[in-house]
Amino acid sequence: MAERKDDSDLDDIPVSEEELQEALSVLAGSDPENCSYPVGYVKRQAVFACNTCTPSPAEPAGICLACANKCHDGHDIFELHTKRNFRCDCGNRKFQGFQCQLIPVKDEENAKNHYNHNFNGCYCICDRPYPDTDEQGRETGGEMIQCVVCEDWFHSKHLGCSIVEPEDLQEMVCEGCMNKAPFLWTYAANFAVPPVINVSQSEEEVEVDVEGGGQKEEGSEPLQNENEEPTSSHEEKRTKRSPTCKRTHEEMTGSPRKSMIKTATCKLKELQAQGLRRLKQGAVFWPYGWRSELCTCTSCKRAYVAAEVQFLMDQSDTMLAYENRGLDQPFGQHLLMALTSSMDHVQQLEVIYGIKELTTSITAFLGQHAAEGRTVTVEAVREFFAELHARKRRRTSAGCE
């Protein structure tokens, strides 16, 4: 979850191994040394917002990991987890004269970037900060979960449904995004985790005709297949979950192979013909690999583009694929977890930044010697670490000015 990098209030918040693992995976997939701006709109990267340089809600801006590290060291930084198709704003018109140290010349703005209230430190439909503390300094609000479509964060109590157990958390699409792409309700009835929604028995369900854009009302349908016996408890409903909830090797590695298989007929129409229904209310939790079940016929592709969810066809867009790439890095292992277990949250993040930067620098150092056919001498190593130390002193001095 997004937090301020230098907020002293975080010192007393305990950090679990799972939370540190998440921080590692988020940072590991992005470059801490080089501004991502020249790459363009990066498929997925860690994004930050600087409350020191761009405090106005009317001018939201985001910066990459390298710029948060180099250009905004010592500033009031929001960590925004990851964003898709985002280009670094550091030093553009929104920063009112502040120049990026890594890429000084940039376009005045990045028109294709998408911003929301997260860039001002607010989240969920309640538009509250995170961490959210009361007058006595106690943290309130509880756990937050990110929608994979709008990428906003929601308190579990504001999702409109009961969530699955933490160890089973999967991709979530909020109710608002489900309604913006209403054809997803058909897939939800067939592949998503069975919902637990508190609604009256008499409440009616609306079936959406995706292609025609029309709606027709029907009586409330059962949440399970008509041929199945009705369940009597929440636990029984969970046991009837699709077997695709279990992650396969392909899903763990973000393999797009299944998504490349094309069908001659429209899978969406076939699913609609099966007649399974689901109440169109509340957020939806999906099993790993659910995107491979989406139809890729021409008509459906047009529907994805119209609803601005075409990225759902890309298996490598998922957070799981991004984190797997990050954790493949040498430092993303449990050794670091043990090393930082006694540190507070702010110190842990600083260590993560530092080790990632060191890893990148060492790789570049060795790569340069290999390319030039030079032997790595003791003196060369000493000079390398002396330069790193001097670079750190320069950044520290600049941050104190």
Side-chain angles (χ1 to χ4, degrees), residues 78-215:
F78 288 108
E79 301 167 38
L80 300 179
H81 207 253
T82 67
K83 300 290 183 184
R84 71 170 61 86
N85 297 328
F86 197 89
R87 195 175 195 184
C88 182
D89 287 321
C90 180
N92 67 12
R93 176 188 57 79
K94 296 181 177 181
F95 286 76
Q96 301 180 353
F98 179 89
Q99 191 175 62
C100 176
Q101 300 177 28
L102 301 178
I103 307 291
V105 180
K106 294 182 177 178
D107 291 341
E108 288 191 357
E109 63 179 304
N110 296 307
K112 294 182 180 180
N113 280 355
H114 291 284
Y115 307 94
N116 58 19
H117 61 169
N118 295 172
F119 288 82
N120 303 313
C122 297
Y123 309 88
C124 190
I125 58 174
C126 60
D127 199 36
R128 296 292 300 165
Y130 183 90
D132 192 2
T133 55
D134 59 18
E135 294 179 356
Q136 286 73 39
R138 295 172 300 187
E139 185 176 351
T140 62
E143 177 187 17
M144 301 195 79
I145 304 170
Q146 187 181 41
C147 172
V148 298
V149 175
C150 66
E151 298 185 310
D152 196 0
W153 291 82
F154 296 84
H155 295 106
S156 55
K157 64 183 179 181
H158 293 152
L159 289 176
C161 67
S162 296
I163 65 172
V164 294
E165 296 300 321
E167 63 269 20
D168 293 329
L169 285 182
Q170 299 148 77
E171 289 198 306
M172 183 274 288
V173 178
C174 70
E175 182 180 346
C177 289
M178 289 292 295
N179 290 330
K180 289 177 183 177
F183 48 83
L184 289 178
W185 289 112
T186 297
Y187 291 103
N190 289 271
F191 303 113
V193 175
V196 181
I197 304 174
N198 296 322
V199 295
S200 64
Q201 292 292 333
S202 61
E203 194 160 345
E204 291 186 328
E205 178 185 12
V206 179
E207 182 180 353
V208 179
D209 180 359
V210 178
E211 292 194 42
Q215 296 182 345

Side-chain angles (χ1 to χ4, degrees), residues 3-66:
E3 300 177 22
R4 292 174 187 262
K5 175 182 173 184
D6 60 345
D7 194 337
S8 59
D9 293 339
L10 295 179
D11 292 346
D12 298 328
I13 299 177
V15 179
S16 67
E17 180 173 318
E18 181 180 351
E19 291 173 325
L20 181 54
Q21 182 81 6
E22 180 181 359
L24 282 169
S25 60
V26 169
L27 297 179
S30 299
D31 189 341
E33 193 72 28
N34 303 294
C35 178
S36 64
Y37 180 84
V39 182
Y41 293 89
V42 180
K43 177 179 291 188
R44 184 171 290 282
Q45 64 174 314
V47 175
F48 304 78
C50 181
N51 194 46
T52 301
C53 298
T54 55
S56 173
E59 291 285 358
I63 58 179
C64 67
L65 174 60

